[in-house]
Amino acid sequence: MEHLKEKGIKFVRVLWCDNANIIRAKSVHIKYLEDTLDSGVKIAKAQMGIPVMYDAVAPNAGLSPVGEVTLVPDPTTLKILPFAKGQASMIGDMKSLGDLTPWFNCPRDYLKRQIDRLSGMGLEIKSVFENEFYLLKKDEDGNIIKSDETSFAMTAPQNSYDQMILDLEESMTSQGLEVESYYSESGPGQHEFNVKYSDALQSADNQITYRETVRAVASRYGLIASFMPKIFEDAGGNGTHLNFSLWRDEENISGESNEKNGISKTSSAFVAGIMHHLKALCAVTIPSTNSYRRVIPHFWAGAFVSWGYYNREAAIRVSKNESQSKAQRFELKISDASANPYLALGALIACGIDGIEKDMVLPEETTIDPGYLKSSECESRWVERLPKNLGEALDYLKDDSIVLNSMGEELAKSYVGVKEFEWDVLKSATLEEEVKIMLERF
Ligand code: GLU
Ligand code: MG
């Protein structure tokens, strides 16, 4: 409190991220912060029933305009916002009124539950969301204009955005995110700015901070930063690749040089679990109608159920350690920033746990672009095309009791209800119509 007062903070935002992955916040005045730390700020239960396109409750989400929960800020997530004068933020946990037990629809609680299950097996995940985003402008009529016409890693945008990138580095660092690398990506005006991995809960919290910061800093420079999965049909999409490694007793146990595939038995089973459930997982990790415009073969988005070392067309790309003797980390490319990071990571862990519990065996590695495999070569590698639209992915999710049960009845219902509503309303939308809705949501 002292620190916040010294820094001139007047408002503290309590943030939440809903099933449609829209980040929202209610602010409390600093005078009321102490009470808020105990009892939270109230929001309507129906907030978890809102789809991406407008603030109206999805009819089958199991939520109505009646009822409230409270959003209790987690003080360990406190940030003084470098981009909003006099304001700080904390991430909220959704709790039931009165007894303050976790509300089953809370995405952050869902992730915590999966982390606890994993830790019950003596395991831990370290992870980071690796984001790509576009920097764009709008003309007087509101049409998007590309901010440049460059391609992968060209240095011109790294020069022209120097001040913004510096501002971004300072803003991330002051909020405790450790910046690792930056370069311009393949699309015109597309950038990639990477931060360091952390434990699972913090990586999802960091993803909220990251998105908030990029968008706010860009807007200071008159730019719209967008993480929308596919903005231009003919240019690279925005991935939010989910990088993870498996740890036991503070040791990375992803790799094992004595294993034929260089992956430890436990991690092999964990990754096999993800591959086994991948089509259903798509409904959580690439969960917007727009996501499926990105996931097409030969755009490095990982359109096939498959895994491979340094394979950018496989859904799971594996990297080796420095000496190249064993696996170091896994990257789920089938992940974008239209996914709620708590749900995406939680569901990934649930699938991995299923793989371990059922002793699943990882299929053969895919060493070429899976789009060019002969059908006879696909079976032993489990190579299959991923769902082609959100509707298909939702059908897989509705059949996947492992993912649904991990969510629990209420969250599964609200999540599927929201996503089915989005699919119903947007299934025939053109890219242009999607851009109008989603560009500034994600
Ligand atoms: N932009 C690509 C995607 O949609 C990824 C490119 C890369 O491998 O970094 O995921
Ligand atoms: Mg990239």
Side-chain angles (χ1 to χ4, degrees):
M1 291 296 292
E2 290 293 304
H3 180 61
L4 292 180
K5 280 180 189 150
E6 253 168 49
K7 292 278 175 191
I9 299 300
K10 292 285 187 306
F11 290 100
V12 180
R13 295 178 188 177
V14 189
L15 296 159
W16 78 95
C17 184
D18 63 18
N19 274 328
N21 192 35
I22 298 179
I23 301 171
R24 305 175 191 260
K26 272 186 167 182
S27 291
V28 288
H29 194 274
I30 189 83
K31 279 191 302 224
Y32 300 104
L33 183 59
E34 263 182 56
D35 291 346
T36 306
L37 285 171
D38 290 335
S39 55
V41 282
K42 315 251 177 322
I43 57 169
K45 285 184 172 175
Q47 286 297 341
M48 283 302 284
I50 292 178
V52 70
M53 54 280 173
Y54 37 65
D55 282 352
V57 188
N60 298 322
L63 296 164
S64 79
V66 184
E68 293 192 348
V69 287
T70 185
L71 206 55
V72 180
D74 177 344
T76 66
T77 63
L78 175 69
K79 312 272 180 227
I80 292 180
L81 298 176
F83 47 78
K85 204 169 171 193
Q87 297 189 43
S89 77
M90 287 190 232
I91 296 176
D93 287 309
M94 297 171 182
K95 305 210 172 182
S96 305
L97 297 185
D99 64 6
L100 297 182
T101 51
W103 187 43
F104 282 118
N105 277 299
C106 177
R108 197 164 184 257
D109 185 62
Y110 171 59
L111 175 55
K112 288 185 197 172
R113 283 186 271 139
Q114 306 318 304
I115 292 170
D116 286 350
R117 288 177 64 203
L118 200 56
S119 95
M121 302 167 102
L123 294 166
E124 196 197 340
I125 277 260
K126 305 245 191 227
S127 45
V128 62
F129 292 82
E130 179 192 307
N131 293 285
E132 297 167 333
F133 57 86
Y134 272 82
L135 293 176
L136 301 160
K137 293 177 184 157
K138 273 190 178 167
D139 67 16
E140 291 113 53
D141 302 322
N143 303 312
I144 302 176
I145 34 177
K146 295 175 184 168
S147 55
D148 59 49
E149 283 294 351
T150 57
S151 59
F152 180 69
M154 284 181 67
T155 51
Q158 304 180 30
N159 298 333
S160 46
Y161 296 112
D162 61 340
Q163 195 55 50
M164 195 213 114
I165 293 302
L166 193 61
D167 200 341
L168 196 53
E169 190 277 337
E170 281 165 7
S171 302
M172 297 268 188
T173 306
S174 79
Q175 295 176 89
L177 274 68
E178 202 174 314
V179 177
E180 284 195 329
S181 62
Y182 157 68
Y183 47 92
S184 43
E185 251 292 350
S186 166
Q190 193 185 24
H191 296 252
E192 181 164 331
F193 193 92
N194 290 315
V195 297
K196 196 174 159 71
Y197 68 83
S198 59
D199 71 53
L201 183 64
Q202 195 183 340
S203 74
D205 289 342
N206 283 353
Q207 176 65 357
I208 303 292
T209 306
Y210 184 106
R211 283 167 58 204
E212 288 287 277
T213 306
V214 171
R215 296 176 60 82
V217 170
S219 81
R220 285 187 167 183
Y221 293 83
L223 295 162
I224 296 166
S226 181
F227 297 85
M228 186 176 165
K230 192 79 170 178
I231 303 171
F232 303 110
E233 200 98 65
D234 54 353
N238 283 325
T240 293
H241 307 156
L242 216 176
N243 286 268
F244 62 95
S245 47
L246 221 52
W247 293 62
R248 183 178 277 132
D249 300 329
E250 286 306 305
E251 190 196 339
N252 184 345
I253 57 140
S254 300
E256 172 53 65
S257 28
N258 293 329
E259 292 291 336
K260 200 171 125 239
N261 61 11
I263 303 175
S264 70
K265 280 212 163 54
T266 310
S267 300
S268 279
F270 190 88
V271 174
I274 295 170
M275 282 180 70
H276 180 83
H277 293 283
L278 196 55
K279 292 177 177 172
L281 192 59
C282 283
V284 187
T285 58
I286 47 168
S288 64
T289 53
N290 181 259
S291 299
Y292 295 83
R293 296 184 195 272
R294 167 183 163 254
V295 180
I296 44 176
H298 314 308
F299 273 78
W300 292 16
F304 295 88
V305 180
S306 53
W307 76 272
Y309 281 106
Y310 304 116
N311 189 338
R312 285 190 154 80
E313 280 291 332
I316 298 171
R317 169 178 170 257
V318 188
S319 297
K320 289 187 175 167
N321 62 349
E322 279 305 323
S323 65
Q324 303 296 297
S325 60
K326 57 182 182 178
Q328 169 88 356
R329 73 182 154 85
F330 308 96
E331 174 188 37
L332 180 70
K333 289 177 80 76
I334 292 302
S335 166
D336 68 40
S338 65
N340 177 308
Y342 301 99
L343 300 181
L345 190 49
L348 176 138
I349 295 174
C351 296
I353 289 177
D354 190 48
I356 294 178
E357 284 178 345
K358 297 194 176 125
D359 249 337
M360 288 187 194
V361 177
L362 202 55
E364 265 177 74
E365 178 188 359
T366 298
T367 50
I368 63 165
D369 178 344
Y372 294 129
L373 278 177
K374 295 195 203 81
S375 50
S376 58
E377 297 168 313
C378 287
E379 208 174 318
S380 63
R381 298 173 173 83
W382 305 2
V383 170
E384 273 183 89
R385 181 75 167 86
L386 286 166
K388 295 206 174 76
N389 58 51
L390 178 59
E392 255 183 55
L394 281 167
D395 287 340
Y396 284 108
L397 177 61
K398 285 186 283 180
D399 271 348
D400 193 315
S401 57
I402 293 295
V403 180
L404 293 179
N405 290 344
S406 75
M407 289 181 164
E409 210 175 313
E410 288 185 49
L411 179 59
K413 189 171 174 62
S414 69
Y415 185 74
V416 172
V418 165
K419 288 293 151 184
E420 285 198 313
F421 191 34
E422 290 184 7
W423 173 240
D424 265 1
V425 174
L426 297 175
K427 63 173 154 235
S428 316
T430 61
L431 176 57
E432 209 181 344
E433 286 162 346
E434 283 180 350
V435 167
K436 268 209 180 96
I437 295 167
M438 297 177 201
L439 191 79
E440 297 183 57
R441 298 271 206 281
F442 302 133

